[in-house]
Amino acid sequence: MLKTTTAIVTLAALAGLTGAAQAEIRLGASLSATGGAAFLGDPEAKTIEMLVEQMNEAGGIDGEEIALTLYDDGGDPNKARTFATRLVEDDEVVAIIGGSTTGTTMSILSVAESEGIPFISLAGAISIIDPVRDYVFKTPHTDRMACEKIFTDMQAQGITKVGMISGTDGFGASMQAQCKEVAGDYGVEIVADETYGPQDADMTPQLTRIRNTDGVQAVLNPGFGQGPAIVTRNVAQLGFDVPLYQSHGVASNAFIELAGADAAEGVRLPGTALLIADSLSEDDPQYDVVTSYTTAYRDAYGQETSTFGGYAHDAFALMVDAMKRSSDPEDPQAIRDALEETNGLVGTTGTYSFSPEDHLGLDLSAFRMLEVKDGGWQPVE
């Protein structure tokens, strides 16, 4: 069990130097910094810690510094629920960011809703914000939107028959269901439908059945973690001659490294501007925020940014913006109300505009269809 209290320690040190306690705004987070979802939670945790430090060095919010309490739930929904309760009851936070996965998010949101604490999730399932819950928002595109973006691309290429292989984890199962629901709207038929478990190390049997299905013109793999990398390698080993589409759940350079650049060549998925940060034009609406975040993260950690760290960046930006606009940055209800009034906030993932009917605030234009070329991500022209 990891609890990060860097910002709180810093505040205590400052209080000791000044001889008086300094006002603070208590922000909580529960992320999967270790465990099977660490590829999500580690960059998210690093991003939030970096941004809190930057914010405090710049004077905080109206002179009040942010005191961050961050727990590592290891991807365990039960731990996430425990930590969410602790954040509210013991740490007395006024807002929560977290939920690296759909499973941990659902645990946290139940606490946030019952306690009246604004919560911004970093997970993808549409069920997080549909139906709309009073205190729950999120930054990633939904799995339904990912299906729609993928099918739009397929439609443009005349692809009508698809073989789908999905992870049975919360994200994979949710996206599988969403893709089935919207496929017909784009003239796409799912002619093969296979699944795999989170611990499976070889998907050759399922992919062989897909390859032997008459008429398959493309393969679609809803999933996250190591599964999609294994699917990608198996597809290459089996010599598939049809396009392979992955989900935004693996939109990172780590996916290419895990799958292998040769195997991943040609893979398409819907992603964010962060994956093509170095090739964005200066007149791109997201250029400034993406460039600023990318540079700061590289300087702080000596690592490249990821889509998932970007989700945390945007959640923090949204929360700080709401706190600044609220009638009281230490009042959870005032923060929630200000969040819902967010309009036109540019993040690394897209431009957010919330409303009482929409706690995601993104549309399909925020997605960019990307393709692996020569070991890196390139926009599909």
Side-chain angles (χ1 to χ4, degrees), residues 5-26 56 65-68:
T5 55
T6 303
I8 295 174
V9 171
T10 301
L11 285 171
L14 285 171
L17 288 173
T18 60
Q22 191 164 341
E24 63 184 36
I25 299 171
R26 298 184 181 185
N56 288 341
E65 293 201 358
I66 295 177
L68 172 67

Side-chain angles (χ1 to χ4, degrees), residues 24-307:
E24 63 184 36
I25 299 171
R26 298 184 181 185
L27 175 66
S30 179
L31 300 165
S32 306
T34 60
F39 69 99
L40 304 171
D42 177 66
E44 291 167 354
K46 288 177 177 175
T47 294
I48 292 177
E49 289 177 323
M50 178 188 76
L51 295 175
V52 167
E53 183 177 353
Q54 288 178 351
M55 176 63 64
N56 288 341
E57 287 178 350
I61 298 174
D62 294 332
E64 294 189 62
E65 293 201 358
I66 295 177
L68 172 67
T69 302
L70 190 158
Y71 292 106
D72 175 15
D73 56 46
D76 184 333
N78 291 323
K79 287 184 177 180
R81 182 178 291 104
T82 297
F83 291 148
T85 301
R86 186 179 301 174
L87 284 169
V88 176
E89 296 182 355
D90 298 339
D91 302 312
E92 298 180 340
V93 301
V94 297
I96 299 174
I97 293 173
S100 300
T101 69
T102 297
T104 55
T105 285
M106 300 310 285
S107 292
I108 297 169
L109 73 77
S110 65
V111 176
E113 279 292 292
S114 64
E115 298 293 338
I117 300 295
F119 167 50
I120 302 182
S121 167
L122 311 182
I126 192 172
S127 57
I128 296 166
I129 46 83
D130 184 10
V132 173
R133 296 172 172 87
D134 287 343
Y135 293 89
V136 181
F137 302 78
K138 80 186 201 77
T139 52
H141 307 83
T142 66
D143 43 14
R144 187 184 188 93
M145 293 170 70
C147 297
E148 292 171 337
K149 190 72 174 182
I150 289 168
F151 290 147
T152 296
D153 189 72
M154 288 183 177
Q155 190 177 50
Q157 297 185 72
I159 295 172
T160 59
K161 296 183 182 296
V162 174
M164 189 159 62
I165 178 168
S166 312
T168 55
D169 56 89
F171 175 86
S174 178
M175 184 169 172
Q176 177 197 46
Q178 294 301 317
C179 284
K180 287 181 178 179
E181 188 170 322
V182 302
D185 297 340
Y186 297 85
V188 172
E189 180 184 2
I190 308 297
V191 295
D193 187 17
E194 300 284 342
T195 61
Y196 58 85
Q199 303 304 318
D200 289 357
D202 179 32
M203 287 60 153
T204 300
Q206 299 98 309
L207 288 167
T208 298
R209 288 193 289 271
I210 290 176
R211 187 181 61 178
N212 293 338
T213 301
D214 289 340
V216 170
Q217 297 171 287
V219 176
L220 169 57
N221 178 200
F224 84 106
Q226 67 174 2
I230 296 171
V231 168
T232 301
R233 291 198 298 269
N234 289 163
V235 163
Q237 291 161 358
L238 289 169
F240 272 71
D241 59 357
V242 298
L244 171 61
Y245 287 82
Q246 294 286 357
S247 77
H248 59 314
V250 295
S252 71
N253 291 325
F255 162 74
I256 300 176
E257 295 170 6
L258 190 59
D262 290 342
E265 185 74 8
V267 167
R268 288 191 175 191
L269 55 71
T272 70
L274 266 179
L275 286 181
I276 51 172
D278 293 336
S279 60
L280 289 178
S281 63
E282 292 189 12
D283 60 355
D284 189 294
Q286 291 177 266
Y287 176 83
D288 288 340
V289 65
V290 167
T291 301
S292 176
Y293 170 53
T294 299
T295 301
Y297 194 89
R298 286 171 179 167
D299 290 346
Y301 300 111
Q303 299 172 347
E304 294 301 312
T305 55
S306 75
T307 299

